[in-house]
Structures are given as structure tokens and as C-alpha cells.
Amino acid sequence: MDIRYWNQRLETLPQPELRQLQLERLREVVGYALQTPFYKKRLPKVGISSPEDIRSLDDLKRIPFTVKDDLRQAFPKGLLAVDMEKVVRIHSSSGTTGIPTVIYYTADDLDRWTDLLARSIVATGAGPGDVFQNMMSYGLFTGGLGMHYGAERVGMAVIPVGGGNTQRQLQIMRDFRTTVLHITPSYLLHIHQRMPEFGLTPADLNLKKAWMGAEPHSENTRLKLQELFGIDIYNSYGLSEMNGPGVAFECVYKNDLHVWEDGYIIEIIDPRTGEPVEDGREGEVVFTNLIRHALPLLRYRTRDLAFLHPEPCPCGRTARRMSRITGRTDDMLIINGVNVFPSQIEEVLMSIPEVGTNYQIHLSRHEGLDRLTVKVEIYSKLFTGDLAALEALKNKINEKLRASITINSRIELHEPGSLPAFEGKAKRVVDEREKL
Amino acid sequence: MKIRQISVFLENRKGRLYEVCSLLGQAGINIRALTIAETESFGVLRMVVNKPDEAVSLFRKHNITANLTDVVAVEVPDRPGGLAEVLKVLSDGNVNVEYMYAFVEKFSEKALLVFRFDDPAGAHRVLTSAGITVLTEKDLPNL
């Protein structure tokens, strides 16, 4: 096995030294956190008024969890720890549920993040000489730009194509002899299904590897895609709150994801009690960012479920490994890589008078792409008998939904009382996608 | 001069049309004319019945989405060119037809057509001045 390191010293740091490094970086980050209105109010309450109040990593446990809603409440600058003059990059959520979440980066923050991506890339055996086609969206989404900078740092030839347009993607892969892809599993499946249309087979391409992220997928999906394309596929994990991709990455052994513990402290907690669970047990993943100073986040609850592998990996890296994401503690849906909460859909539907009170969100998969069907009951009193008005209503619902969640959906109109009604908590989401 | 048509919202579901029609049958309400406009996932059933008020309250009671729309029913001679003559009158009178359907039943020497106009009053004027018989709801039970 060809084991390569980007920063061998840090990647193979003995555990005690790794913990010591974490402690030093935590102190530094707590210092920045105390500059923010949000943590300035919160940390002294638990006896942390200066970085020196963090004496050991155990002191982390005194800090209350930070949740997504805290980020929203603190919008736009309640979590900003540095002068705006120091900020060189801003990433943000779309804010479709109301208030967006925003992440700021200084030049040094970007540098440290980029370095973890370079490390992730090299761990998969990629490097100079590789031609990298980045199919993740650029823009506010961190997946595109994050990996782009990491790949350039490593010395790969980067093609910043972004997502979509299968024909063009295939043409670029062929023309430039692309060797590495960064892509979602469903899009990679889709590309495979479309290849015959363009008279191509995987043998016509020069692909060697793919990094798959932004969507959870199973080992079977990886194996299937590896076989279909004859390439190595590596699982990638990240979230914008922790900079973006490169929080955890698989090495050539594909033994689940090395969490870059010098950059992030990982905790696995029982989502109900908030108490830590032992290694090997599933729970909610909580991260503390140790490398970002512009917007420090301490003990951020990701809502992702996973477990830790404490046993060492044959690659020699000392960071613990995290399993692939096994689920979510909230009801967030991932539709073609886009995060959607059912409440966003509900909000749109309930703003339209002709829509009744009952609805259902239906997910299926066609040709590798997710399909969202929204079934709504019409409001009897506003039924005019006019067919054109009903067609217009369907278009209106789709337009409004697309404006909110950025996804095109199929709208089905139903008679009042015909969709399943619920007592107590409604089960409004029917997900028929086979698990990736 | 106007006749009330019942429009029923129907989702595309096996047996739904039967359910709706059998309700009318059990209540002794007679369908005089009927048409279905459909799309991929739903349809609108339009019909003229002998007791529209009873039909609407029956539907409401059964949670079936229905409403009443004014339409115009005319008698035309049941012979080749009969419909065309009426349409020429409408066309010459600059009257726009939203949709139309024919009565399924033939009676006497006449056929019956149901029209939905965007300007029912204007259409009525044009039709009657051309000597075409426009039916009223009072005529319906006798059909």
C-alpha cells in the first residue's frame, strides 16, 4: 500500500502529544471566542473568563453546546471574533428558513483549512500529476472552493467545473484526461447511467479516484461505484460550520474517516442526555473548531450520528477514525446534495391560500437523481372548477418552493381528506430512495 | 337563461369516479350531461344534473370538493351542420367559448349543447337574437 503523508509529524503525532496540541489550540480559540458577544456572555457563566481557565481538555465539558439556532440568533456578527478588516472570506447558508448562518475566515483560517484538505487529498494517494475535476458547487457552499484550494496546494491540475451538465462533464473528463473527481454519490451514479447516451464507457476515460461527499452513502454504494468505474472511491466528511470538507477523510485503507484531531476536537454524545458515549457506540457528533479564529465554534452539535473507531489504522495516522454518518437526530433531508428541512416546505405551502392543511413530502430516486414530489390537498372553498386555475396553482407552488429550497419539485394536487391524516406527530415524509 | 353546472375535483384514483356517481344515483339525482377534463394527476368532473342544489349539499356532506358554475345550454337541430350553425352565430357575434360538451342524451328532434362562456350574458344575447333556444333550469327536470 502506497502510504503518503502531507504533514507526517502532525499526522502521526503520538496521542499524548496530540492531546497536548489540542489543549494549546483550544486555549487559543477560547481566547478568540471570548472576543465575541455570544461567548463573552456564555463562557464566564461556566467559569471561563480567560484562556488560562482551560487547564485540561476536560474543561471543555464545562462549555455548553452550541447549536445551529445559536448561529442564527447571532447573525450576522454575534460570533465574529476579529475585525472585519481581517476577514477574507464569508460562507453562508441560503437562509431560506429565515435567518441564515454565516462563517467568517481570516487569511490564516483559510490557510489552516486548506492544509487539512491537502492532507486529506494526499491521504488518498492523489497529488501532482493528477487532473482534478471538481464537480461540487462553487459559491456560498463550501464544498467547491474548499477542495479547490486544497488540490491546488497539493499541486494537482484543478478543473473548477462545478456541478451539473453531464454532457459537458463527460467531455471535459475525456478531453483533459481527468484522473480525480469530487462528486456526490448520486451524481456519480447518474453520470454512469448517462454514459451510453454519449457513446462512452468508463474505459474511454482516465479516471483513477473519486472523493465522495455531501451525501451519506453506504459501503455497498461505494463498492458498486468502484466496480462500475474501475476506480478507488474515498469518503469525505465536512460541514460548513467546521469550515467545510476536510474535517474527516478516508486514507488508502478506506477504513472509515480519519478525523483531523489537531484541527477539530470530536465528541460523540447521547443526543438525549448530552453525555459522552464510549468509543464504538453511536451518538451525535460534536465538534470544536481548533483552527478558525474569525468565527470560533465550541462544542457544535452537528445533528449527524456516527461512532468512533479507537483502534489504530495500518496507515500509521494517530487520529481516531469516525464511521460514515449513520443518520440524523433531526428531520433534515438531503435532496441531490441540498439540505432541506420539511419545515421549509411546510412554510411555503401554508403561505398559499388554495392549499389545504394536509400535505406529504415524497422522495424517490430516478436515474441517480433524487426526485421530490410534494402532494398537497387543495382547499375546497377555493375550488372554482377551473382546470387552468388548478394548473396555475401547481406552477405557483413549484415556483414558490423552488425560490425557498432551490429544488424543482413535482406537485400533486389531492382531494381534501385523501392524504393520510395523523394524530399527534405527523409523518409527512415518505422517503422511498434506496439507501445510498 | 343560465344553468348551473357542478364541477367536482377528482384525484386520479381507482374507483373515485364510481364513488362520486354512485352517490348521486343513491340520492336519485339524474345526470343529464357529463364531461371530464383531466390532467396527469387529477381531473375535474363537470356535469349538469336535474337537482343541482341537492347534489352540491350531498357532495359537501361527503367531503367531496365541488362547486357550481354558470353555463349556457342550447338546443340545436340534430342534423349535420347543426352544431356548426350555432358556432357560426357565436363566432360572428365575437363570443369566446371556454369549453363545451354535448348532452349524452338525445331527445325529440333536438340535440343539446352545454357551453361555458367567459361572457355568459353577451353570449345569451347573441344566441337568442339568432333565434336559438336557450334552456333554463326549469327545463331540466323535463328533459
Side-chain angles (χ1 to χ4, degrees):
Chain A
M1 201 64 87
D2 179 21
I3 298 165
R4 300 185 199 177
Y5 301 103
W6 174 251
N7 185 331
Q8 185 162 5
R9 189 186 74 82
L10 280 178
E11 291 172 60
T12 59
L13 209 57
Q15 281 272 339
E17 287 174 49
L18 184 56
R19 300 297 159 225
Q20 182 59 34
L21 179 62
Q22 284 187 324
L23 178 60
E24 285 161 25
R25 288 186 169 180
L26 177 62
R27 281 198 188 118
E28 197 177 10
V29 165
V30 164
Y32 280 97
L34 285 164
Q35 303 299 313
T36 69
F38 177 79
Y39 284 117
K40 200 183 283 176
K41 217 157 74 183
R42 181 176 274 213
L43 294 183
K45 283 186 193 155
V46 294
I48 299 169
S49 303
S50 85
E52 286 68 46
D53 292 326
I54 303 286
R55 286 179 197 88
S56 77
L57 283 178
D58 275 347
D59 287 326
L60 184 68
K61 306 275 184 292
R62 288 152 60 189
I63 299 174
F65 295 115
T66 305
V67 296
K68 195 176 192 81
D69 203 45
D70 292 327
L71 279 166
R72 292 202 182 107
Q73 299 298 323
F75 185 85
K77 288 187 178 170
L79 275 158
L80 182 62
V82 299
D83 288 341
M84 265 314 278
E85 289 148 38
K86 292 253 165 98
V87 171
V88 300
R89 176 90 67 79
I90 297 174
H91 280 287
S92 166
S93 70
S94 55
T96 47
T97 48
I99 315 166
T101 58
V102 57
I103 306 292
Y104 301 96
Y105 306 78
T106 67
D108 287 342
D109 292 347
L110 285 185
D111 183 59
R112 287 182 285 260
W113 174 26
T114 301
D115 222 56
L116 290 188
L117 281 157
R119 185 191 294 186
S120 306
I121 288 166
V122 168
T124 67
D130 273 312
V131 177
F132 167 46
Q133 190 163 337
N134 192 6
M135 297 194 194
M136 289 292 182
S137 315
Y138 282 70
L140 288 174
F141 175 59
T142 52
L145 280 168
M147 197 65 91
H148 177 105
Y149 280 86
E152 280 188 352
R153 179 162 295 183
V154 165
M156 304 171 86
V158 182
I159 308 173
V161 60
N165 197 341
T166 304
Q167 182 172 7
R168 185 151 158 266
Q169 299 281 10
L170 281 165
Q171 205 172 339
I172 290 171
M173 276 190 238
R174 209 182 42 181
D175 292 349
F176 296 107
R177 308 297 289 156
T178 300
T179 56
V180 181
L181 304 177
H182 183 208
I183 190 169
T184 63
S186 41
Y187 194 48
L188 191 55
L189 268 169
H190 177 71
I191 284 182
H192 187 267
Q193 279 158 349
R194 298 274 313 269
M195 286 178 77
E197 213 178 296
F198 306 109
L200 289 171
T201 69
D204 299 319
L205 305 173
N206 193 33
L207 292 181
K208 306 270 187 284
K209 292 178 181 33
W211 304 316
M212 286 200 318
E215 276 173 8
H217 60 277
S218 69
E219 183 60 15
N220 282 338
T221 299
R222 184 231 302 264
L223 292 174
K224 184 178 167 194
L225 283 166
Q226 287 194 148
E227 196 185 308
L228 288 174
F229 282 94
I231 60 175
D232 284 310
I233 294 177
Y234 301 93
N235 200 350
S236 146
Y237 176 80
L239 63 163
S240 62
E241 291 86 349
M242 292 299 127
N243 295 334
V247 173
F249 226 88
E250 283 186 334
C251 70
V252 285
Y253 286 95
K254 300 174 189 164
N255 264 333
D256 281 347
L257 306 108
H258 290 274
V259 180
W260 305 131
E261 289 191 272
D262 53 320
Y264 306 95
I265 294 176
I266 183 170
E267 298 170 78
I268 306 283
I269 62 161
D270 180 327
R272 283 163 301 132
T273 63
E275 291 301 314
V277 302
E278 56 196 278
D279 284 355
R281 292 273 303 276
E282 185 189 89
E284 184 177 341
V285 183
V286 174
F287 282 114
T288 297
N289 191 321
L290 297 175
I291 54 168
R292 192 177 55 216
H293 297 158
L295 193 142
L297 275 185
L298 308 171
R299 304 194 86 199
Y300 181 73
R301 287 183 70 151
T302 62
R303 303 282 171 191
D304 284 331
L305 293 171
F307 57 90
L308 282 177
H309 294 280
E311 72 277 10
C313 178
C315 75
R317 290 179 180 82
T318 47
R320 285 177 296 173
R321 281 168 295 129
M322 184 181 86
S323 70
R324 54 186 75 226
I325 301 305
T326 55
R328 295 275 303 175
T329 64
D330 59 17
D331 55 358
M332 187 181 85
L333 303 166
I334 301 178
I335 305 171
N336 291 325
V338 177
N339 297 349
V340 175
F341 287 94
S343 57
Q344 289 175 270
I345 295 175
E346 174 165 321
E347 200 173 276
V348 169
L349 295 179
M350 293 308 130
S351 73
I352 302 171
E354 297 92 331
V355 170
T357 51
N358 212 358
Y359 66 92
Q360 201 178 60
I361 296 163
H362 199 271
L363 289 159
S364 53
R365 188 171 280 126
H366 297 268
E367 296 175 353
L369 292 176
D370 295 334
R371 180 186 284 171
L372 168 65
T373 304
V374 179
K375 302 180 177 190
V376 302
E377 288 182 2
I378 63 168
Y379 183 49
S380 289
K381 291 209 169 105
L382 294 180
F383 172 68
T384 61
D386 185 352
L387 203 64
L390 292 168
E391 287 292 349
L393 173 62
K394 275 173 65 171
N395 290 336
K396 176 168 145 190
I397 296 171
N398 184 34
E399 288 301 321
K400 284 195 143 198
L401 272 177
R402 195 167 50 192
S404 168
I405 61 174
T406 73
I407 293 171
N408 224 352
S409 43
R410 290 151 53 98
I411 309 297
E412 271 184 24
L413 300 182
H414 288 264
E415 291 179 40
S418 65
L419 291 175
F422 303 95
E423 291 172 10
K425 192 167 161 53
K427 179 171 168 17
R428 299 204 187 273
V429 178
V430 178
D431 196 342
E432 285 184 349
R433 299 176 291 187
E434 80 262 36
K435 288 281 171 236
L436 276 174
Chain B
M1 68 165 206
K2 280 179 268 180
I3 286 186
R4 288 172 300 163
Q5 162 193 273
I6 298 181
S7 300
V8 181
F9 179 80
L10 287 178
E11 57 183 47
N12 282 1
R13 173 154 59 84
K14 206 173 145 193
R16 189 55 176 160
L17 183 58
Y18 162 73
E19 287 163 23
V20 168
C21 292
S22 75
L23 269 180
L24 292 175
Q26 284 157 21
I29 297 169
N30 200 1
I31 300 171
R32 314 303 314 194
L34 169 149
T35 184
I36 297 176
E38 59 173 13
T39 73
E40 199 187 324
S41 66
F42 61 87
V44 174
L45 167 64
R46 294 167 177 147
M47 55 193 166
V48 175
V49 301
N50 61 346
K51 300 169 196 165
D53 292 315
E54 276 178 47
V56 166
S57 55
L58 179 71
F59 285 149
R60 299 248 155 100
K61 207 169 81 194
H62 286 84
N63 203 19
I64 292 169
T65 301
N67 94 327
L68 291 168
T69 312
D70 288 335
V71 292
V72 174
V74 300
E75 281 184 333
V76 296
D78 185 19
R79 55 170 167 72
L83 170 60
E85 280 165 28
V86 177
L87 292 176
K88 182 171 193 311
V89 167
L90 293 169
S91 174
D92 291 347
N94 214 16
V95 175
N96 187 37
V97 179
E98 267 185 42
Y99 57 81
M100 66 153 295
Y101 50 102
F103 266 46
V104 288
E105 170 186 61
K106 204 181 114 178
F107 64 103
S108 71
E109 300 304 310
K110 311 271 186 174
L112 214 70
L113 303 171
V114 177
F115 286 97
R116 166 74 180 167
F117 298 112
D118 45 19
D119 174 17
H124 186 253
R125 213 165 34 241
V126 168
L127 288 166
T128 46
S129 61
I132 293 166
T133 313
V134 176
L135 298 184
T136 68
E137 269 185 15
K138 283 201 286 294
D139 299 323
L140 280 182
N142 310 319
L143 296 183

